[in-house]
Amino acid sequence: MNKNKIRPLNLKDVVIGGPFWSHYVEQIRKKVIPYQWDVLNDRVEDAKLSHCIKNFEIAAGKRDGAFYGMVFQDSDLYKWLESVAYTLAVYPDADLERLADDVIALIKAAQQADGYVNTYYTVKERSGRWTNLQHGHELYCAGHLIEAAVAYYNATNKSEILEIAIRFADYIDTVFGLEAGKLKGYPGHQEIELALFKLYEITAERRYLRLAAYFIKQRGQVPNYFDLEAKKPEYKEIFPEITPLARTYSQSHIAPEKQREAVGHAVRAVYMYCAMADLADELDDKDLREALDALYTDITSKQMYVTGAIGSVAWGERFSGAYDLPNDLVYGETCASVGLMMFCRRMNAMYMEADYADTMELALYNTVLAGISLSGTEFYYVNPLQVEPERIKVNPNFSHVKIVRQKWFDCACCPSNLARTVMGLGLYAYGSTTDALYVNLYCAGSAQDGARKLEVETDYPYGNVVKCKVSGGSFKLYLRNPKYAPLKSLTLNGETISPKIEKGYLVLERDWNDDVLTICFDMQPKRIYCANEVQQNIGHVAIMRGPLVYCIEQVDNGPLLGTFRLVDEDPITAVASPKGLSPEAVALRVPAYQYRQVEEALYTKQKSNLVPSQLTLIPYFLWANRGENEMRVFIPSLPRHP
Amino acid sequence: MNKNKIRPLNLKDVVIGGPFWSHYVEQIRKKVIPYQWDVLNDRVEDAKLSHCIKNFEIAAGKRDGAFYGMVFQDSDLYKWLESVAYTLAVYPDADLERLADDVIALIKAAQQADGYVNTYYTVKERSGRWTNLQHGHELYCAGHLIEAAVAYYNATNKSEILEIAIRFADYIDTVFGLEAGKLKGYPGHQEIELALFKLYEITAERRYLRLAAYFIKQRGQVPNYFDLEAKKPEYKEIFPEITPLARTYSQSHIAPEKQREAVGHAVRAVYMYCAMADLADELDDKDLREALDALYTDITSKQMYVTGAIGSVAWGERFSGAYDLPNDLVYGETCASVGLMMFCRRMNAMYMEADYADTMELALYNTVLAGISLSGTEFYYVNPLQVEPERIKVNPNFSHVKIVRQKWFDCACCPSNLARTVMGLGLYAYGSTTDALYVNLYCAGSAQDGARKLEVETDYPYGNVVKCKVSGGSFKLYLRNPKYAPLKSLTLNGETISPKIEKGYLVLERDWNDDVLTICFDMQPKRIYCANEVQQNIGHVAIMRGPLVYCIEQVDNGPLLGTFRLVDEDPITAVASPKGLSPEAVALRVPAYQYRQVEEALYTKQKSNLVPSQLTLIPYFLWANRGENEMRVFIPSLPRHP
């Protein structure tokens, strides 16, 4: 066990609030969690049918009927429960806890005598258990059950859900492994590996660590298990429309420790990398670490959008190849960026380097938060960087792109994933080692780790000042120096100091006793340029202010956003937020030129005129909150003198 | 019957040759037609299996075996035969004629007692005749049989194939119509309508005109015939992967005369418009004419690429919506541009306006000729305006785009369509009325219409001078004044004259007696700008020289073509063709700037440098003749002073 590692704080000891985060925390607590509960119970009109609770009731023998929904429908309930657990950890709520306890009782009633829990295979495909690991999602759902169980136990100290999870995990341990008589398989959708690691951490039972390691190490062995199982007579197709799948889709083409390029279904990939990082650290596995280093570099240097979105390709919800980052065709699933945050948190924990937390912050403030409307009840699954509504309506290549956020999805992974991330944000924001406290995200609120205590006042990422009151005796404080908003000045109890910078952190060590740090970050708007290999962005800029990527919307600037041209080096000014967005949001204004057509014709020898104009930019994650309209992140920029 | 109409000359009286066209005529005669014959007989290694001749032999009882291929496989043979007919009209060839006669005997042997000919429904789905008009392509294949028959009869005066076609048409006439007991259907893929019109023209039998009109007028009536037939017990799916199809796909959503926007499968659409134009003119049908005017305007002002390609969307090989003209995702099927030429020829014939012939020329010299390699044995089905090979290889959105031309296709409509178009080019190049001769395309060679005679010397579209020797007495000569290369000067027997210009034609009337006209066109390279509604092309230019659209290729300019920037008003110079292309081709050179990245990173605050450079452009139709490489037509252009 690696002692030298950043560990998350107990969520009970972290409060996230302030001008920026209170809105989201309140939305999730007061709207999203109740809304999702209504959806799970099929009580929301116009939303896609969930049937999730009914599936459990049928599996528990409490109701007649047929299974309905995706093969992984159960996971929606588990992710809801995980969000509830994170909520209860900070905001005790007897009614909500009672509801959760009832859900747990329902899950228990649906658990089979041998410990197995899965409504699809209990209600619909009774003889199909473990026959289609590639598509069946049983181990995926089991993983989400375990994650919810660990979270709920941590929040409430109630062990019932943990016992359900343990019985299931113990049963799974009897089914899978290299020992004679066991299945040599592994999940089509990774998730259980990182969950088993959490179960290992909370129970200290090494069997779960070994089982997680088995699932990772067995993956991609030759012959491929998915090929073998598909030849068995009991095998039954679940998604014939995507068969046959390349082995890269599920990252089972080669052993994980040999993987160097991020390929396949993006969520599967990053969930697997999470478990690989957990194991690499715990088992001090050099091969896994080498793979992780390469995979992280591949993603961040060749396959990630400027918004922290990953997975360019809708077909297979997957990574494309190096530099294939189309702004309009993009998939960029909200869940994939949640998974990227999870992966980055683990890399940061292992290496204690700020760069991973920079990427985590980028994904959070841009793609993940873009996943939810300001109203809290509409969601994005796909997160484009450029939208032309009229083209999306007519061209089927864009059928995955939604012009406005949706109430719910047939495949409803993203809203619940987003909710658990926001309510569990304390796990991402802070960390500790034996002698240090780490601040990875600047959120107003407080954090405690034993005697060590931080009180944080800030309206970051809109504002550039973070005030921290620190106490708790002698320890090192590691403050991330944000890549996109580096330190401008720092005062300790009013006096300017120059901290040591180590692995991207400002490091401050003293005997803390209600000392006040005032950190001022450079939040000047910046032009961000893309590598020339991403050809459609050559000569374009994305504008960032701190970690926030900005975009232009038609509602502020008029139609045909492609007619605008910035000019290199023109000043970018922070201005008040346009009406209809959060009043505290910071918008930007920049001079621009606009092409005006002279002759109305599809093709003409007559050049358009370039007329002076200006553009208003808003934070990308706030786009599409004011109805259907055009949007783009990358804007062409003219040189002053060609 | 409309007397005041441009009628094509007899192909026997037209020779197409000279520096530009000899190459293509010779390629088609000496390579493509024999190559296609080998393909039809499954004798080309590495090419997709055709099985076409075998299907006919099986249907004729000359061979055992099963049908193989597309439901419309027969049409490949008919289009080959049509190309052969056009070839024989100008280049008598006893061996080729014997081969064609054998083919005709084979078709006759495959014809059923009632006149029906179709190998799929004779060999494979014996009880399925006329049960799936939407997808079965029986009437489509019948149309191509009739077109081939008319062409072969015109070329050879042999009537056997015409008799086969007439027997089939007569049988079809007993099956379809509004009379009691007849099927009220029409083809899923239009083609027979224009073919029946040709049969009517050659036989003067008005039944064929009425049947063509029935097929057009019955289309889109409520209830939709395709809905009705799909409910019948004998209905069987042929293309389950594209079911259900929108009614717009086959232009059967409303009656043709009510259609105002080009929708659905592009080839079906333009083939239908051809028949509508034939009928509108012959029957003096105002409603059809009103529809045709709107459809032509919709295509050319909102839905056509600068290369004359049409049909933006791969899924359904169809039109998208207004201004949705992606350069990279484009479909732009070669056949659709052949169909556009066919449509334009008929509109030109009806209205006697040059604009239609301008569009025809654009489609011909750019998209249609891009369909064939310089070597004559590789073909394009899809004609993109922008290609980044690395992205095409990894992103499935581009799976329809081929980086290099292909030897053959499962669906092999395009190579044969291209061959019949080039060999039948005389039908497009000239036309006549009672008192006039029309020149619509400038091709070296000769043309005769009764006593009227033209001898043409030119290397157009590379050169800008056309010399015509005209004789044959008193008639009006209409010379198209090309939209993209308008008249610069004209001499008659060495003396400059200023001709009257009428509907886009230079009109010259005299008693012609070996008079020599020397026409000089403006071939200065031009920048072409696209409407702002096509947002990805804003601030970009396409460069044309005469009717030729130019492109840049990696092989001449290096990789990352997106790094280049032109500057508005910089001079464009004609230069010799790069090695590996036709030596007579004219290339262009233009100063440019190129973005050079300063910091190697996916995202950076460091702006790229703009360094002086230059670009070599080649005619678009010659792209991809020098291996796999990047290509683009639209190039960003910087203003001199922003």
Side-chain angles (χ1 to χ4, degrees), chain B residues 222-287:
Chain B
V222 178
N224 188 289
Y225 185 82
F226 300 144
D227 290 333
L228 299 179
E229 76 171 3
K231 286 180 197 137
K232 291 191 185 164
E234 60 270 29
Y235 182 80
K236 208 170 153 182
E237 282 295 350
I238 297 172
F239 299 106
E241 70 278 15
I242 55 167
T243 301
L245 272 177
R247 290 291 158 252
T248 46
Y249 174 80
S250 54
Q251 299 82 33
S252 63
H253 55 304
I254 48 170
E257 69 265 25
K258 292 190 183 141
Q259 299 188 20
R260 296 293 180 269
E261 282 171 28
V263 295
H265 187 268
V267 175
R268 283 165 215 242
V270 284
Y271 281 16
M272 179 174 83
Y273 307 157
C274 286
M276 287 165 67
D278 287 333
L279 294 169
D281 203 28
E282 187 70 15
L283 305 173
D284 195 16
D285 187 319
K286 245 182 64 179
D287 292 342

Side-chain angles (χ1 to χ4, degrees), chain A residues 312-332:
Chain A
S312 308
V313 175
W315 202 97
E317 307 182 313
R318 66 166 173 80
F319 285 105
S320 183
Y323 306 112
D324 182 36
L325 295 164
N327 295 312
D328 51 358
L329 284 173
V330 51
Y331 203 66

Side-chain angles (χ1 to χ4, degrees), chain A residues 304 324 391 562 569 603 607, chain B residues 304 324 391 535 603 607:
Chain A
M304 186 179 73
D324 182 36
R391 291 186 66 201
E569 291 107 37
Y603 301 108
K607 196 174 61 168
Chain B
M304 186 179 74
D324 183 35
R391 292 186 65 201
Q535 294 205 47
Y603 302 108
K607 197 174 60 168

